[in-house]
Amino acid sequence: MPLSSEPRARTTVLAPRLAALLRDHLGQDVFRLEPDTVGVAGPEAADRILAARRATETERPTFKPLHGRSISRTEASAVTRTIGGDVRDALARPRPKDVDLSGVWPLTGHLFLRDLILGRDPYRLRMLMSRNLELTTWLTWSVIGVGAALPGWPRPGGDLTALGERAAGAVGYQQRRYAMGMYRRAAAPVCFTISTLVANALWLGAPFAAGVSNRNIILESLRLLPPSWNILRNASPEYPALDARIGADDDVLVLPLLSHRDPALWDEPDAFRPERWDTLDPDTAPGYLPFGHSSERCWGRHMVMPLAELLLDLVRDAGLVVDPAQHTARVPLLGLLGVSDVRLVKAG
């Protein structure tokens, strides 16, 4: 589905399934998607569904069971605090200078963030940030298996990040495999999400007026292309009691992709207008769920905004622009919603 930004002569082409969702269900409240799946896009219905119960371990986007082993909320919280500390350390260091962020995005931004946050860790850990590992689970676990078996495992007390230090404490092959899996689970979403979010913002809105804040640009990018475009809840007895259109065996898919463009909720819903956030509160705007529901916010939201603003600031200060020769970008059907292969070049 082409979504044009006329002043910039760019067209965003969504994957067919995403385009079909917008074409067939935009503005709807609760609707049938599959024989066993109900879609929810209305803000009141979504609020009731997501407030009814917490996500189970298989519904959580990041801390699902790891190679068959459950990850407790206590452990997930501890790992989140660990990577959060590494992010704060990275933000506290002097701002990077002479960084070349031209090239193909989101890959270029992803590599920059990997080195900014995790640059002190050994290669066997940093390699877990490779986007190539998203291709198959088998590839991911093959790389982890080799990394856990190789000699020279990092020792605690070295010049490591806090997340690297946590992995260094693993003893024995099985613990090392688990530690490497958790390292990827914690750090990769930070790098993946933020680089994708900034790539989306650049494609949708650049060049930006000098007075437009990075905060507003990021919030508007999250609205038009929310990286977490759906929130799954498996069939549960709470849901038919909340809405008769949901059956006892129906899974529920809450769809920010639709609520973020609902014309009943937004003025000019398809337009990139960062200034709208001068008067809107992202925590209370109806239907706005880039970080999930208020009852259970995304664990990484406090890392996303400052890192995204830093990365966007570096791009703007460097005078980089989307290649004027590029007029189309595609949004594939992936778990993380974003444009692929946006080329940034020096202005002029």
Side-chain angles (χ1 to χ4, degrees):
M1 179 179 183
L3 300 167
S4 298
S5 179
E6 291 298 330
R8 301 166 186 83
R10 296 183 198 136
T11 300
T12 306
V13 181
L14 300 180
R17 184 181 173 190
L18 300 172
L21 281 171
L22 283 167
R23 182 189 65 237
D24 298 338
H25 300 294
L26 186 63
Q28 295 181 13
D29 184 35
V30 178
F31 44 88
R32 179 69 53 182
L33 283 173
E34 303 287 349
D36 60 353
T37 306
V38 168
V40 174
E44 293 181 1
D47 182 74
R48 291 194 301 269
I49 293 294
L50 295 176
R53 65 168 175 82
R54 301 182 76 178
T56 66
E57 64 173 11
T58 58
E59 295 166 346
R60 288 182 288 176
T62 299
F63 292 110
K64 291 179 170 64
L66 183 61
H67 218 235
R69 175 175 165 180
S70 292
I71 302 170
S72 70
R73 289 186 178 274
T74 299
E75 183 179 9
S77 177
V79 173
T80 298
R81 291 195 300 272
T82 301
I83 183 63
D86 287 330
V87 168
R88 288 191 295 274
D89 288 346
L91 290 169
R93 293 196 293 269
R95 178 171 161 154
K97 296 181 180 179
D98 302 322
V99 178
D100 184 7
L101 292 173
S102 62
V104 178
W105 280 66
L107 178 60
T108 299
H110 168 77
L111 296 176
F112 168 79
L113 289 171
R114 178 200 66 186
D115 294 340
L116 176 73
I117 302 167
L118 306 166
R120 304 201 310 271
D121 289 342
Y123 180 70
R124 81 173 75 199
L125 295 178
R126 287 186 294 111
M127 70 184 297
L128 297 172
M129 300 304 100
S130 172
R131 297 188 78 99
N132 292 331
L133 298 187
E134 294 181 290
L135 296 175
T136 67
T137 302
W138 177 86
L139 178 60
T140 300
W141 282 102
S142 296
V143 170
I144 287 174
V146 171
L150 286 173
W153 184 256
R155 295 181 178 181
D159 184 23
L160 302 171
T161 65
L163 192 64
E165 186 76 17
R166 186 181 181 93
V171 177
Y173 176 72
Q174 293 299 334
Q175 285 193 29
R176 290 173 180 176
R177 286 177 79 242
Y178 183 78
M180 291 183 74
M182 284 297 289
Y183 186 99
R184 176 174 167 79
R185 284 284 182 88
V190 176
C191 299
F192 290 170
T193 301
I194 293 166
S195 58
T196 297
L197 173 55
V198 174
N200 291 348
L202 293 166
W203 175 255
L204 292 168
F208 309 109
V212 179
S213 73
N214 288 329
R215 171 191 175 274
N216 285 3
I217 290 168
I218 296 301
L219 291 174
E220 185 70 346
S221 175
L222 282 165
R223 186 183 69 83
L224 286 171
L225 287 176
S228 297
W229 62 274
N230 69 83
I231 303 170
L232 173 65
R233 289 293 183 267
N234 293 318
S236 186
E238 292 92 346
Y239 302 147
L242 293 174
D243 195 300
R245 291 167 290 185
I246 303 174
D249 298 323
D250 284 334
D251 293 335
V252 177
L253 204 62
V254 177
L255 292 161
L257 175 70
L258 300 183
S259 63
H260 285 194
R261 292 178 180 268
D262 189 336
L265 302 175
W266 308 94
D267 294 331
E268 297 183 76
D270 289 335
F272 186 85
R273 287 182 47 201
E275 65 275 10
R276 75 173 79 234
W277 296 102
D278 288 337
T279 56
L280 291 176
D281 183 345
D283 288 331
T284 59
Y288 188 64
L289 298 168
F291 299 115
H293 187 257
S294 58
S295 63
E296 195 170 14
R297 295 288 192 200
C298 168
W299 62 269
R301 65 191 180 106
H302 295 300
M303 299 178 239
V304 168
M305 291 302 290
L307 278 173
E309 290 183 45
L310 169 65
L311 190 52
L312 185 55
D313 209 31
L314 291 171
V315 170
R316 295 176 76 177
D317 286 353
L320 296 176
V321 297
V322 175
D323 187 343
Q326 183 175 2
H327 301 293
T328 301
R330 298 189 177 276
V331 177
L333 183 60
L334 297 172
L336 192 65
L337 191 69
V339 290
S340 61
D341 300 333
V342 173
R343 300 188 302 273
L344 292 193
V345 299
K346 191 75 174 178

